[in-house]
Amino acid sequence: MAEVIFALVTILALFALAMNRASLRTWALAAAIFTLSAQMGLAHGQLHWPVFPLWSLFGWLAAGLLFAASFPEIKRNYISLPAYRALKGAMPTISETEREALEAGTVGWDAELFSGTPDWAKLRRVAPITLTPEERAFLDGPTTELCRKLNDWHIRHELHDIPDDIWRFVCDHGFLGMLISKKHGGLGFSAQAQSLILGKISSRSPDGVTIVMVPNSLGPGELIEKYGTDAQKEHFLPRLARGEEIPCFALTGPFSGSDAASMRDVGVVTRGQHDGKDTIGISLTWDKRYITLAPKATLLGLAFRLFDPDNHLGRGEDVGITLALIPTNHPGVEIGRRHLPAGAAFPNGPTRGHDVFVPLDWIIGGQERAGQGWRMLMGCLAAGRSISLPATSAAAAKIMLRASTAYARIRKQFNLPIGFMEGVEEPLARLVENAYVIEAARAVTASMVSAGEKPAVISALLKYVSTERMRQSVNDALDIHGGRGICDGPSNYIQGAYQMVPVGITVEGANILTRTLITFAQGALRSHPYLFTEIEALQDNDRERGTALFARTFDDHVSFTMSNAAGSLFHNVTFGLFASSPPNAGATQRWWRELARAARSFALVADLTVALLGGGLKVKQKITGRMADALAELYLLSSVLKRYDDDGRPPEDLKLVDYCAKNCLYRFDQALLGTLRNFPQAWAAWLMAPLVFPFGARHRPASDKEGKEIVRAALEPGAFRDRLTRDIFISNDPADRGGLLDYTLAKVVACEEADRKLERAIRKGEVKRFHDHDWIAEAEAKGVLNADEARALAELRALVARVIAVDDFAAEELAARQASSTPRPQEQPSPKPEHIAAE
Ligand SMILES: Cc1cc2nc3c(=O)[nH]c(=O)nc-3n(C[C@H](O)[C@H](O)[C@H](O)COP(=O)(O)OP(=O)(O)OC[C@H]3O[C@@H](n4cnc5c(N)ncnc54)[C@H](O)[C@@H]3O)c2cc1C
């Protein structure tokens, strides 16, 4: 018995020391106390296990070594320096462009999750959705009006372009200057307001929103607002805000897509003629493609590599990536041709120029900013990526849910609304979950940006997760609608979103790259509490400074790792019962604790993944992809719990929160399990697995029964369904394709009892239901239905026929449109032999 108590106390004390990151002297003292106690126990004949004599022998040695290691000189010479030598060359290196990307953004909640001990107060401090009265009025007023004016079919098919009246409306109402400060003539809206406005527009027309989205991100209003010279701000910003300039931003080229920094577009500082005067300027040659709004743009933001062979700028020959503003009517600018991205209709196309001479003051920010282009781009990207695509993805998930729940309740097969069939319930449950989760993450991230954060890792994570889930929602909506969703026409409300899915997946960092490289491989460098500093120290050419910095950080890193190892095992063995949760967590306390528990496991595996993969981190993308997924699930769960609190904890939402939490934790487990099963160093996986999964991966996804409950709630018109689809364009007008769905849904619910009577009569053969026969009149005549019921069902019959109808076209109509809209692609120059050799 004494042995058991002694062993237990020792183990608990070791856990407490490790978890609380005790100093080496405290460890030494603890080792001494336990050794002394073991010796006393042995002397009094109370400890008999063979381990105790062994411990009494080596305990003093351990205590002595720990005590010695607590002296800085000894620690430096015998621990830190050998580690420094061993790790130099083994850790990932950071290129200049990567450094600029890493230094550009901020860290926030991602760093808390990486720490393994998230500080809940930091998440709670993020404001719930907050709009100024002016922003709210804009969302409810001009944004709603714009939505009413947008005709998706007209844009996508008839015009294959954005109509002039829409351009005029967005320019006149200041939509293009939402991020431009009031001082410069813009609306100066918060990130949250911009996000909600973009989402609402995209819920009406995914094509239409692009003309508002681009000017309000990189393109290049934000760059001018942040980095422009006073003259550039005064000249361009009011013009951009009023829509007198249509901007675009050109970074991507045929040979530099994801690896944009490898661009071949070049500018050479040289003498030339501008406005009839001899001046020093830049001779530019570029070839860019996929540029949104380029065919309509009047102002081209251009990224290129600047060289200064004669050192006019005094900065050496290779100045670096530089950004310039070029009016598209400037001689030599080739722009105007269009790509057809996935059949979508928003303007997008290439631009080229050869030896185009521009003055130096066209560089964004002037000469001083020459060479700082990459840093400037990254500075804007972190915030921008948190807004546009999460906003449009959340809106797509919400509108797909709203349409699919209505359709699934209206559309009957086998005498049953299809939404009540278990097979259809599955995609419906995913739709409900995705709409709630993406909106939760969108809202919390937009609030962070509104508060001044530029979340580098979270923005990447949210970009790929929100667009992937949006893709899932659109596909699920299509499956639920069957042929109704596939056949295109003015009444189809899914195809617009479907066409835009690959665009969201690809732009602002294609998803595969964003998941496998940016979120974790680079994200770990940013969010890990010590890694970036350690790598900086290892790469420092001043060896003295480097080793000193390394020694300091390495110490903390070791205690961090031990703390997470002990913390993981402790919380996983105790199923998170003792994990932290925020005060007054209420009914979701269990999930906060589970989140804390999972964060500990994540921190441990992330830490060892980075330490052990070292320089191989960027190529082991199946591992980093899974780690990105694990981090994403933690972020989503944090967002869900926060949303529930911010929404005022509506009791009806609790089931959905439970549902989401179970699935997040299940997917988190699977991501970590996949990492460990495929970990390149099997011994390390063996070491981590018992700490992270002492009883195996125990989390189960939410059950079928729970899925049914949330779907049944979402199939009912009312507050729950409205909350799930908040802040998108909703109409109650049956003349509107979306309004027709909601209007009919209300009638379906109202007529349910009468419909049941009618169905019974039809099944019994009392009433016949065929074309050219009024079965409702027959049911009324036979007393199955009363007059009111018959009238309501007759109205419903007509409405349902409209809801399920698909468009058809005369052959001549299609032939005419085909002839007028078939574009002639420009012949691509075939590559010259030296190009081929260079590839
Ligand atoms: C409709 C549309 C609008 C656009 N608008 C603009 C715009 O306004 N301005 C602008 O400058 N650009 C724009 N782009 C360009 C867009 O940002 C690029 O398409 C994107 O960066 C990917 O480049 P890429 O298409 O050349 O693909 P590639 O770089 O060839 O990538 C192909 C695949 O390989 C993956 N991949 C590449 N490298 C890695 C890696 N290291 N690790 C793992 N996977 C990797 C990618 O994820 C992708 O799946 C637009 C593109 C489209 C399609």
Side-chain angles (χ1 to χ4, degrees), residues 249-252 257-258 289-292 341 346 348 503 506-513 516-517 621:
F249 192 82
L251 174 66
T252 309
S258 302
R289 65 177 181 181
Y290 304 148
I291 310 307
T292 304
F346 64 90
N348 181 285
V503 177
T506 304
V507 300
E508 293 194 12
N511 276 11
I512 297 178
L513 164 100
T516 58
L517 191 69
Q621 297 189 339

Side-chain angles (χ1 to χ4, degrees), residues 264-455:
R264 299 176 183 189
D265 315 284
V266 63
V268 178
V269 182
T270 181
R271 294 203 85 85
Q273 289 287 310
H274 183 68
D275 279 348
K277 282 190 225 139
D278 184 53
T279 181
I280 292 180
I282 306 169
S283 174
L284 279 168
T285 297
W286 73 90
D287 182 3
K288 303 283 194 184
R289 65 177 181 181
Y290 304 148
I291 310 307
T292 304
L293 300 196
K296 293 273 178 188
T298 59
L299 184 65
L300 167 68
L302 186 73
F304 55 93
R305 195 156 198 115
L306 184 63
F307 291 92
D308 185 9
D310 301 326
N311 205 14
H312 290 289
L313 305 180
R315 311 257 294 273
E317 185 174 355
D318 185 355
V319 182
I321 292 173
T322 301
L323 314 178
L325 295 167
I326 304 170
T328 55
N329 60 5
H330 187 63
V333 176
E334 292 172 37
I335 200 161
R337 291 189 64 84
R338 296 180 70 133
H339 299 305
L340 300 174
F346 64 90
N348 181 285
T351 170
R352 298 182 187 92
H354 187 72
D355 282 342
V356 176
F357 186 77
V358 305
L360 280 175
D361 58 8
W362 286 10
I363 294 175
I364 301 182
Q367 278 186 46
E368 304 87 81
R369 293 259 179 212
Q372 292 182 19
W374 196 251
R375 185 180 292 267
M376 290 155 66
L377 283 173
M378 292 303 116
C380 294
L381 190 66
R385 203 157 42 190
S386 306
I387 300 174
S388 309
L389 291 168
T392 50
S393 300
K398 288 186 276 185
I399 195 79
M400 290 301 122
L401 170 69
R402 192 152 184 114
S404 302
T405 43
Y407 187 80
R409 187 86 191 256
I410 296 166
R411 173 68 168 167
K412 283 163 103 187
Q413 288 293 281
F414 305 97
N415 286 329
L416 200 65
I418 56 170
F420 293 164
M421 298 170 183
E422 285 212 350
V424 180
E425 223 168 63
E426 272 189 320
L428 278 173
R430 270 196 303 271
L431 276 161
V432 175
E433 183 186 355
N434 281 340
Y436 191 78
V437 170
I438 306 180
E439 168 61 11
R442 178 210 67 76
V444 69
T445 312
S447 284
M448 289 171 186
V449 179
S450 291
E453 286 190 40
K454 292 185 277 177

Side-chain angles (χ1 to χ4, degrees), residues 605 609 622-623 626-627 666 668-690 692-693 695-698 700:
V605 180
T609 301
K622 291 178 192 164
I623 296 292
R626 290 188 182 98
M627 289 305 290
Y666 170 73
F668 171 81
D669 270 9
Q670 296 309 304
L672 277 200
L673 202 60
T675 302
L676 296 184
R677 283 193 179 143
N678 295 282
F679 208 75
Q681 289 97 337
W683 63 266
W686 280 35
L687 215 71
M688 287 186 272
V692 174
F693 297 119
F695 309 116
R698 305 286 299 174
R700 298 281 169 265

